Amino acid sequence: NAGVTQTPKFQVLKTGQSMTLQCAQDMNHEYMSWYRQDPGMGLRLIHYSVGAGITDQGEVPNGYNVSRSTTEDFPLRLLSAAPSQTSVYFCASSYDRYGYTFGSGTRLTVV
Amino acid sequence: AQSVSQHNHHVILSEAASLELGCNYSYGGTVNLFWYVQYPGQHLQLLLKYFSGDPLVKGIKGFEAEFIKSKFSFNLRKPSVQWSDTAEYFCAVRKNGGGNKLTFGTGTQLKVEL
């Protein structure tokens, strides 16, 4: 049981490049979310999903896209990376309201 | 908008000292409350959670938290901290009917000195 798996763990992008952060869970969880963590700002919700085919915006969605074609996968796409997107990104999943399980994070630097 | 406030941004304690980290939220409806811990270089792990019933909740590693509805607070406590408790602590709130979204506080960095 791997839990929530995020890849890659580290990534450096040039401004304007695009990339996809991968997130997969093997717990058959309905709920999945993407957060970004910045110093002094805690975790802020980017996008979330309540099930396959259903996604919605969180607090800071601009510059990011998501899709949920399967229960297991919830990739986060950066369309045109900007230095302001330098952050640590966490994916999380939950079966119900009883708390999320977090992945180990992706540290992204945009230069 | 719902918000979660953690007023202590950095706390330094000696081993065996008692710990209390504050958490206040602004939402007036029914909420579920969580404390997460993030050890250096690691991901968030759930310490404890409150949904209903006894407002004093016990979690892992000797942590507990008390929900005081009248004060919109959910403070985290530990009677005697250890060096291994050095970490960042996050309070989070889930609003009932809010799509299972968590709103996090800005975190409290705890350093425990030997």
Side-chain angles (χ1 to χ4, degrees):
Chain A
N1 189 343
V4 179
T5 302
Q6 289 184 240
T7 56
K9 292 191 183 303
F10 301 93
Q11 183 71 47
V12 179
L13 288 179
K14 294 182 179 179
T15 297
Q17 285 185 315
S18 62
M19 80 159 294
T20 299
L21 279 63
Q22 302 291 344
C23 176
Q25 52 94 4
D26 61 359
M27 298 173 283
N28 201 31
H29 285 175
E30 289 183 338
Y31 302 98
M32 296 187 75
S33 299
W34 275 103
Y35 290 86
R36 59 177 289 173
Q37 182 180 24
D38 302 291
M41 303 188 75
L43 281 83
R44 293 179 293 169
L45 181 65
I46 305 171
H47 285 285
Y48 68 100
S49 170
V50 299
I54 306 170
T55 63
D56 205 346
Q57 296 181 348
E59 182 184 354
V60 288
N62 292 341
Y64 307 95
N65 276 357
V66 292
S67 60
R68 184 98 181 269
S69 56
T70 67
T71 299
E72 294 78 18
D73 300 299
F74 192 44
L76 178 72
R77 298 183 186 85
L78 280 70
L79 306 174
S80 178
S84 61
Q85 294 179 304
T86 293
S87 186
V88 181
Y89 292 84
F90 288 100
C91 179
S93 75
S94 171
Y95 176 72
D96 53 20
R97 61 195 181 119
Y98 295 104
Y100 273 90
T101 298
F102 283 81
S104 57
T106 296
R107 186 173 295 274
L108 175 68
T109 302
V110 183
V111 298
Chain B
Q2 181 179 345
S3 69
V4 181
S5 299
Q6 291 182 245
H7 302 295
N8 312 105
H9 299 295
H10 292 89
V11 174
I12 301 174
L13 295 173
S14 298
E15 266 204 331
S18 63
L19 169 72
E20 181 161 3
L21 302 182
C23 174
N24 290 89
Y25 62 95
S26 63
Y27 181 63
T30 301
V31 296
N32 306 132
L33 301 158
F34 305 83
W35 274 97
Y36 282 86
V37 61
Q38 186 179 32
Y39 298 103
Q42 297 188 25
H43 61 282
L44 277 76
Q45 301 172 42
L46 182 64
L47 267 181
L48 48 79
K49 56 184 182 280
Y50 173 80
F51 282 81
S52 62
D54 189 344
L56 184 60
V57 179
K58 295 192 183 299
I60 61 172
K61 304 186 181 187
F63 286 91
E64 64 180 32
E66 184 176 12
F67 171 51
I68 302 179
K69 188 174 182 180
S70 61
K71 295 185 178 181
F72 298 90
S73 70
F74 190 56
N75 293 355
L76 181 71
R77 300 195 293 245
K78 186 171 185 179
S80 176
V81 294
Q82 300 173 311
W83 177 80
S84 57
D85 293 324
T86 294
E88 191 159 18
Y89 293 80
F90 293 94
C91 181
V93 175
R94 174 192 172 277
K95 182 177 68 173
N96 271 11
N100 210 30
K101 294 181 290 183
L102 288 181
T103 301
F104 284 84
T106 54
T108 296
Q109 190 72 246
L110 171 66
K111 181 178 180 181
V112 180
E113 297 178 331
L114 296 171

